[in-house]
Amino acid sequence: MLKGKVALITGGVRGIGKAISLCFARAGANIIMNYTSDRSAEDANKLVEELTALGVKAMAIKADVSKSEEAQSLIDTVISNFGQLDVLVNNAGITKDMLLLRMKEEEFDQVLAVNLKGVFNCSKAASKVMLKTGGSMINMSSVVGLNGNAGQSNYAASKAGIIGFTKSVAKEFASRNIRVNAIAPGFIQTDMTDVLSNKVKEEVMKQIPMKRLGSTEEVAQVALFLASDCSSYVTGEVIRVDGGMAM
Ligand code: NAP
């Protein structure tokens, strides 16, 4: 489905991003991923080997998407090494959960800087390339951006912001053959959700009609649909992958 395409997946070394990197590589895409933590550097090297073994080109770069110059140099590195960019998945994201009364200003700022400004930084840099060739941008929102969640006002604001951003940019670029869509995952089993207590997990489970957590692969399959020509008439859309949680 993506043979010969080049895809950049931010935060593509762990969790949902890793599943997307693997899924896109199996579909024939060459993959570039970025990460920030030292912990991910070793994982990144192993994943590059795993992806290369699938017969595609792969590269991992250390870059912080919240910094505009690092996002620009990430896109520049993609072009200098691969010559094109067909798919951008703005997946990188963080949480710093706290009730509003106790939330520190820096906890709000950091989450907005990575989750929302990071999407702006990478989309802006990528659009300069995609305007010439067309492409697909996929932004990772959340059901929390649709419905809100106590203790996550910073995260919810960033994920709701991504939906407004997605629809606006989709309108700007529709005539230029760049499609821009968002995915709103529900409760997916990753490091991000592993840190939650069993009590919180049990409470969340009660809100999921399908009565189970989602897998990273189930999110990756929807990203593959949005990246490929199977979704050639889909733009400005938000697809929930949540077992019915936010319906
Ligand atoms: P995760 O396992 O915690 O992975 C997050 C990824 O983002 C890591 O690869 C991390 O890389 C990267 N990242 C963090 N800060 C970054 C920065 N400043 N610049 C570049 N990369 C950065 O999270 P996940 O659960 O896979 O979540 C992936 C996306 O899905 C996020 O946007 C998240 O909000 C969204 N989502 C997740 C769920 C869920 O249930 N898991 C639900 C809804 C939405 P390093 O560690 O190397 O920095």
Side-chain angles (χ1 to χ4, degrees), residues 19 22-23 26 215-222:
L22 282 161
C23 176
R26 286 189 208 104
S215 71
T216 56
E217 181 59 26
E218 287 171 314
V219 180
Q221 290 296 333
V222 175

Side-chain angles (χ1 to χ4, degrees), residues 10-18 34-41 63-66 90-95 114-115 140-144 155 159 162 183-193 216:
T10 69
V13 174
R14 290 201 285 119
I16 293 172
K18 179 179 179 182
N34 77 303
Y35 61 93
T36 54
S37 63
D38 293 335
R39 164 196 165 182
S40 288
D64 181 344
V65 295
S66 70
N90 281 310
N91 165 76
I94 59 169
T95 51
V114 176
N115 295 10
M140 208 53 76
S141 179
S142 166
V143 291
V144 169
Y155 184 76
K159 295 300 183 180
I162 284 177
I183 298 176
F187 204 150
I188 310 299
Q189 186 142 27
T190 67
D191 292 349
M192 191 177 268
T193 48
T216 56

